[in-house]
Amino acid sequence: MPLYKRKLYTLMKPPKDLKLDEQLFQVRFTKEIFREYQEYLNCMKLYQRRVWTCKVSGKSNLTYKEAIVSEHKANEKVQQFPKEFMGPVLHMVQFSPLRIDELVDSLYKDFKERFVVGEVVTGTHGEGSSTSTCMCQILKVLKEEGKKYETPRYNVAWLDDNNRKIGISKESADDLKRKRHPFSRALLKAFVRESTSSGPSRNSPWSVDEMVNEAHTQKKRKHPEGTSARKKADGKRQHVHKGELLTLRITDLWGKVIIYRLRRTRYPIEDSHVNLSSEDPQLNDRPVPSTDFLLPMACVGDLLMVWDFCSLFSKALLLSPFTLEELEKSLDYKEGEAPLLLEINFALLCIALTDPILRDEFFHRRKHHSKISMANWKDDLCDFLELPSQHKFTGVTHVPTIQQGLYRQLDACVKLKILMELVGCCVSSSAIRTQIDNNIEEHQLAMANKREAEVEELKRKNEERENLKRQQCPGNTNFLAVENGDHQEEKVLENGREHRNQEGEHPFLEKENHHSVSVRSRHVLLKEKLAAKLALEGVKERQRTEEQKKLQEKRKEQAEALTQCKIQQQMLAERLKKQEHLEREMEKHYIRTTPLGKDCFHNCFWFFFREGRLFVESNDCKQWGYYTAKEELDALFKSLNLKGIREKSLQKELETLYEKISTALQKRSKELAQQYAVEEALVRRSECVRSAPRLTGFLAYVNRLRMP
C-alpha cells in the first residue's frame, strides 16, 4: 500500500445498505465505491497528485497509480530474499529507532560476520592431517551462561554430497565461511520497507506488520524499555514524553546487548512538557493583565457574550453600535434609567417575539392585545418573563420589582442575567437566522474576492520577475557598445594629435626636417594649423553635443522612472486599500467570534474587532483580564515559547493580527484621552455658567436605527 505523508493510506470502506438500482461511482484501480460524485472527484484528485511514496522502494513524488506499479515491481525483487534470513532480520528490525539507511548498514554488517539457523555454509571438519572442507547447516546459535566468546559458536550438521546429515558438532564462527553474501544492501532495504512500517517522526521506531511477524518469526518480541512506556520501581508503567532522553536496550539474536540513546526532540510538543535549557533564547516576563471591571468577575463572561451578540447582529436588532464600556456602565448605573439598557431590552424582546409559538403564547395571556412599544417596555418584559415556557428564567423572581418601576435598583448581575435569557430566546429566531445566512453568503463572497485579488497579485509579481530577468539578460549590450565607441573616438583623436606632432610640432623633428620646413611656404603651414584647430574644435563640439544628448536622455529616463515609481506607489496604495476593504467586509459578516489561541496554562485569548482590548480568560473560565497598551502586546508576544504547540499557534495568530490589534489598542487609548478631556471641559463650563452638565458617554446613547 503506498504511503501518504509517511503513513499507510487506508482505503474507503464501501457504503452501507447498497441498493441494486442505486447509481454509484467506483475508482477503477482501488475498487472504492462512492455515492456522491463530488466525493469521487475529490478522491480522484488526491490520487492524481504527486504526494505518494512507494513503500518498498522509497520513491517519492508519485501519483497513486505510479506508486502501485512501483511497489509491484519492487515486490518481485523482494521475493528473491533468502527465507532463512527473513525471521532474524525482522527480529532485529522490530522497535529499532535507527533511520532506514543506518538500519540497513547495521544489519548488513551484522549478518556479514555472523550466521543464522538454517543457513548452509562451508566449514572445516576434523583435526590435524584429517581435516577436510565440506558443507554444513547451522542448527542453533549457542548462548552459554557464564562464558563470553570473542566469536559466536554454533551447532552445525555436516552434510554429504547428497545433502544428508553425517554428523553434528559445535563450531566457532572462525571455522565457517560463506561463498558469497546471501543478499545485497538494495534487496535488504526493499525487504525492510515492504515488511515494516514507521511513524511520521524520523525517530519513530520500526514496527513489523502483524501478518509478516506471525509468518516469519517464532515468538513476538517484547517492547523495548524506553520507547513509549517505562516501568517504575513499583511496577507501574510510566509514559515517556517528547523531549525526554531515552535509553533503549535491545538484545540481538546472538545475545549481544545493543544500547540506543536518543531524544525525541521534534518541536513543537505539548506545552507542559517543554523544559527550557541554557541554549534557548531568553523569554520576556508575561505581562499581568488588568482586572479592574465595574461588574463582579463572575459576570464578565456573560457581559462579553451579550455585547458581542448585540454587536454581531445589530442590523437585525436595529441597535446602533455601542462600546463594551458603555454597556458595563449602564448595567452598574442605579441613579436613573440608562437609555442603552432600555433600547437593548426592547430590541431583544421584539426579536424574541418573532417566534410564532412565543408570540401566540404571549398575546394569548395578555389581558390587552396592544402591540409592544418602547413606552411600555417594562410591562411587556414582565409579561414575557411570566410566560409558562419562561418560568425557568431567574428574571421571574424579579418581576414585582420591575412592575413597581424599580428596574434601575436591580443588581447589575440580575440585569445581565435577564439580558442573557433574552439573548437565548433570540438565537433561534427567524430574524437572526436570516442575518446569519446573509452573513455567510457575504463572507463567502468576500473570501472569493480576496482569493481573486491574491491570484492577481501573484500574477503581477511573476510578470515583474520575468521582466526583470529579460532586462538583466546578457544579450543587452547597447550600453557597452556606446561606451566602447566613445573610447575608440578618444583613441582616434589621440592618434591624430600624435601624428600632427610627428609632422611639425615636435621640437626634435623640427630640427631634423628644418630644410623641408624652409621649403614649404608659411601660408600653407598656417592653413594646416587652422584646419587642425577647426577639426579639434569640431571634435569638442561633437563631444559637448553628445554629452548634452546623454544628459537629456538621462533626465528623461529619471523622469520616466519617477513617473513609473509614482504609478507603482499609486497601484500599491489601491491594492492595499482594496485588501483593507475586503478584510473589513469579512469582519462585518462574521457570525461568531473565536479565540486567538491558548498559552501553556490553557488561558484563552480573545480579541473583538469592535473593542480595543485583548482579553484573557483563565482555564477554568472564572477569571478575566485584558491588555490595553501596545507595550503589553509586545511583551506578551515575546514571552511565548515556540517549543509548545499552543503557544506557537497563539504567537502565529498574534503575528497575523498584530497590526490590527496594536492599532485598536492605540486608537482606544486616544479616544479615552479625548473623552476625558471633553467631559472635564464640560464640567468646568457648567460650573462657570451655573447650569446642569450635558449628558455624555453611556447616558447620551441614542439608538438611530430603531424604527419610530
Side-chain angles (χ1 to χ4, degrees):
M1 182 65 67
L3 300 180
Y4 177 65
K5 295 183 178 180
R6 296 178 59 88
K7 294 182 180 179
L8 286 174
Y9 181 77
T10 305
L11 297 178
M12 292 288 295
K13 295 182 179 180
K16 298 180 180 180
D17 303 329
L18 291 176
K19 300 179 181 179
L20 295 176
D21 58 345
E22 188 175 0
Q23 183 179 3
L24 302 173
F25 305 94
Q26 185 181 35
V27 181
R28 179 171 51 83
F29 45 86
T30 64
K31 307 303 180 184
E32 291 175 290
I33 299 174
F34 298 91
R35 276 196 173 103
E36 300 294 334
Y37 183 66
Q38 188 61 42
E39 295 180 359
Y40 167 77
L41 285 181
N42 294 338
C43 185
M44 289 300 298
K45 288 179 181 178
L46 177 62
Y47 288 154
Q48 292 171 1
R49 291 175 58 192
R50 293 192 173 275
V51 294
W52 300 91
T53 302
C54 175
K55 184 178 183 295
V56 183
S57 64
K59 294 180 180 179
S60 58
N61 297 328
L62 304 175
T63 64
Y64 186 89
K65 193 173 181 180
E66 291 173 349
I68 289 289
V69 174
S70 177
E71 285 188 359
H72 180 70
K73 293 180 179 179
N75 283 328
E76 292 179 353
K77 295 181 180 179
V78 171
Q79 300 302 322
Q80 303 173 5
F81 194 82
K83 294 183 179 180
E84 61 270 14
F85 284 88
M86 291 183 177
V89 168
L90 296 177
H91 180 87
M92 297 289 291
V93 171
Q94 183 76 310
F95 305 126
S96 175
L98 298 178
R99 298 181 184 178
I100 182 64
D101 294 331
E102 298 174 351
L103 180 62
V104 169
D105 291 341
S106 176
L107 292 173
Y108 190 84
K109 181 179 178 182
D110 287 342
F111 286 100
K112 183 178 181 180
E113 299 173 352
R114 306 186 184 190
F115 307 96
V116 299
V117 176
E119 185 180 4
V120 178
V121 296
T122 303
T124 304
H125 183 56
E127 297 180 356
S129 59
S130 61
T131 58
S132 62
T133 301
C134 59
M135 305 299 293
C136 61
Q137 187 178 22
I138 306 296
L139 299 179
K140 185 179 180 181
V141 180
L142 297 179
K143 300 177 183 178
E144 299 185 15
E145 297 182 359
K147 295 183 180 181
K148 295 182 180 179
Y149 299 98
E150 294 182 358
T151 57
R153 295 174 62 84
Y154 305 91
N155 268 352
V156 300
W158 299 98
L159 307 176
D160 58 9
D161 295 339
N162 296 324
N163 290 332
R164 292 180 297 185
K165 296 182 181 179
I166 58 176
I168 298 176
S169 63
K170 297 181 181 179
E171 302 293 337
S172 173
D174 296 336
D175 299 329
L176 304 175
K177 294 182 181 179
R178 294 190 184 98
K179 291 183 179 179
R180 60 184 180 85
H181 203 283
F183 49 80
S184 62
R185 293 177 187 266
L187 184 60
L188 175 61
K189 188 174 183 178
F191 174 72
V192 171
R193 284 187 178 276
E194 195 270 340
S195 306
T196 62
S197 59
S198 179
S201 172
R202 291 188 176 182
N203 292 329
S204 298
W206 292 90
S207 177
V208 179
D209 297 343
E210 292 185 2
M211 296 181 61
V212 177
N213 194 17
E214 294 176 357
H216 297 289
T217 58
Q218 298 178 355
K219 59 180 181 179
K220 293 186 178 181
R221 188 172 185 177
K222 294 182 180 180
H223 207 288
E225 179 184 0
T227 52
S228 64
R230 195 169 49 194
K231 288 188 177 180
K232 293 184 178 179
D234 57 0
K236 295 182 179 180
R237 298 183 72 83
Q238 177 185 6
H239 291 284
V240 178
H241 307 297
K242 286 185 178 180
E244 184 177 353
L245 184 64
L246 303 178
T247 301
L248 305 184
R249 297 176 179 273
I250 300 177
T251 305
D252 63 7
L253 294 170
W254 305 279
K256 179 182 177 182
V257 178
I258 305 173
I259 299 178
Y260 296 106
R261 292 185 178 271
L262 70 154
R263 189 183 297 274
R264 292 174 188 178
T265 55
R266 291 194 68 188
Y267 294 104
I269 61 175
E270 166 59 33
D271 296 71
S272 58
H273 300 155
V274 175
N275 295 320
L276 293 178
S277 62
S278 58
E279 300 177 356
D280 295 332
Q282 189 68 26
L283 299 177
N284 288 12
D285 295 333
R286 188 70 51 87
V288 180
S290 302
T291 57
D292 54 341
F293 296 100
L294 292 177
L295 301 186
M297 186 61 69
C299 300
V300 175
D302 294 342
L303 173 71
L304 286 169
M305 198 281 283
V306 171
W307 173 78
D308 190 44
F309 178 82
C310 294
S311 300
L312 287 174
F313 301 103
S314 60
K315 190 180 296 184
L317 296 172
L318 298 178
L319 271 176
S320 297
F322 54 90
T323 64
L324 178 64
E325 189 176 9
E326 290 175 346
L327 177 59
E328 188 179 15
K329 289 181 178 180
S330 298
L331 289 168
D332 190 58
Y333 186 65
K334 294 184 179 181
E335 297 178 5
E337 301 291 352
L340 177 57
L341 283 186
L342 308 185
E343 294 288 348
I344 294 176
N345 278 283
F346 179 70
L348 293 177
L349 188 60
C350 291
I351 295 298
L353 290 177
T354 56
D355 184 87
I357 299 176
L358 279 178
R359 184 174 63 250
D360 294 342
E361 184 182 6
F362 178 78
F363 286 108
H364 180 72
R365 291 183 58 86
R366 284 173 68 100
K367 297 178 182 179
H368 52 87
H369 295 279
S370 60
K371 295 182 179 179
I372 59 175
S373 62
M374 187 65 184
N376 300 322
W377 74 271
K378 294 179 183 178
D379 296 333
D380 298 334
L381 178 61
C382 292
D383 292 341
F384 182 81
L385 294 177
E386 288 180 335
L387 293 178
S389 60
Q390 313 301 326
H391 280 172
K392 58 183 179 179
F393 285 179
T394 57
V396 177
T397 58
H398 301 281
V399 168
T401 306
I402 301 174
Q403 288 176 341
Q404 295 175 9
L406 300 176
Y407 174 81
R408 64 177 181 274
Q409 298 299 329
L410 293 176
D411 188 71
C413 294
V414 176
K415 299 177 184 176
L416 183 60
K417 196 68 177 178
I418 295 174
L419 294 179
M420 281 284 295
E421 292 165 351
L422 288 174
V423 167
C425 295
C426 293
V427 170
S428 59
S429 64
S430 59
I432 299 299
R433 298 306 305 174
T434 301
Q435 184 173 341
I436 290 176
D437 295 338
N438 294 336
N439 283 3
I440 291 175
E441 294 178 1
E442 295 292 339
H443 189 270
Q444 291 176 348
L445 180 61
M447 285 291 294
N449 293 335
K450 185 178 180 182
R451 285 193 293 268
E452 290 179 1
E454 291 175 352
V455 171
E456 292 178 359
E457 181 69 13
L458 183 61
K459 289 182 179 179
R460 186 190 62 80
K461 289 183 178 180
N462 291 335
E463 291 176 358
E464 290 182 354
R465 195 179 297 111
E466 293 296 329
N467 292 335
L468 185 61
K469 287 182 180 179
R470 284 195 293 268
Q471 291 176 1
Q472 294 178 350
C473 64
N476 191 5
T477 57
N478 293 333
F479 177 75
L480 295 176
V482 173
E483 194 175 25
N484 292 335
D486 294 341
H487 288 305
Q488 290 177 359
E489 186 175 355
E490 291 178 359
K491 189 173 181 181
V492 170
L493 187 60
E494 291 178 358
N495 291 338
R497 289 200 196 101
E498 292 179 359
H499 181 68
R500 287 194 301 271
N501 288 338
Q502 290 177 0
E503 287 183 353
E505 294 182 359
H506 198 279
F508 178 77
L509 294 177
E510 286 180 357
K511 292 181 181 179
E512 292 292 331
N513 300 321
H514 179 69
H515 179 69
S516 61
V517 171
S518 60
V519 174
R520 299 174 62 183
S521 65
R522 186 176 184 85
H523 179 71
V524 175
L525 290 175
L526 290 174
K527 188 176 181 181
E528 289 180 355
K529 287 181 179 181
L530 182 61
K533 186 177 180 180
L534 292 174
L536 183 60
E537 290 179 355
V539 172
K540 290 182 179 180
E541 184 65 26
R542 286 196 301 273
Q543 288 180 349
R544 283 194 297 269
T545 304
E546 291 176 357
E547 288 177 358
Q548 290 178 357
K549 188 182 295 183
K550 290 180 181 179
L551 184 60
Q552 291 178 356
E553 292 177 355
K554 187 176 180 181
R555 290 175 179 174
K556 184 178 180 180
E557 291 176 357
Q558 290 177 351
E560 291 178 354
L562 183 60
T563 305
Q564 190 68 21
C565 182
K566 289 181 179 179
I567 294 174
Q568 291 180 355
Q569 289 179 354
Q570 186 178 0
M571 293 174 61
L572 179 60
E574 291 177 356
R575 289 195 298 270
L576 292 176
K577 187 176 180 180
K578 182 179 180 181
Q579 184 178 1
E580 292 176 357
H581 173 72
L582 291 174
E583 291 178 355
R584 284 195 301 269
E585 288 297 317
M586 292 171 60
E587 293 173 7
K588 288 180 184 178
H589 301 102
Y590 280 143
I591 57 175
R592 66 175 181 176
T593 304
T594 55
L596 301 178
K598 297 182 179 180
D599 63 3
C600 60
F601 305 109
H602 293 277
N603 296 324
C604 199
F605 290 78
W606 297 81
F607 175 70
F608 303 92
F609 290 102
R610 297 159 300 278
E611 177 64 23
R613 284 183 279 184
L614 180 63
F615 290 89
V616 186
E617 180 186 11
S618 63
N619 57 349
D620 57 358
C621 305
K622 294 181 179 180
Q623 297 291 325
W624 285 84
Y626 60 88
Y627 298 118
T628 58
K630 182 177 179 296
E631 293 74 16
E632 292 177 328
L633 176 63
D634 295 337
L636 171 65
F637 188 82
K638 295 178 181 178
S639 67
L640 299 175
N641 194 337
L642 297 181
K643 288 186 174 181
I645 296 176
R646 291 188 297 275
E647 294 206 348
K648 182 177 181 180
S649 176
L650 176 59
Q651 190 190 59
K652 183 179 180 180
E653 194 67 22
L654 286 175
E655 186 177 5
T656 303
L657 299 174
Y658 178 81
E659 292 296 332
K660 289 186 178 180
I661 297 176
S662 59
T663 303
L665 297 180
Q666 294 173 349
K667 181 180 179 182
R668 182 176 183 273
S669 300
K670 293 180 181 179
E671 289 178 351
L672 287 177
Q674 294 175 357
Q675 181 180 350
Y676 293 151
V678 171
E679 291 179 355
E680 186 178 355
L682 290 175
V683 171
R684 286 200 303 267
R685 182 180 178 184
S686 63
E687 290 178 353
C688 293
V689 299
R690 296 182 180 180
S691 61
R694 271 192 289 171
L695 296 177
T696 57
F698 70 99
L699 294 176
Y701 175 80
V702 177
N703 185 13
R704 295 181 175 85
L705 296 180
R706 178 165 56 88
M707 297 296 292

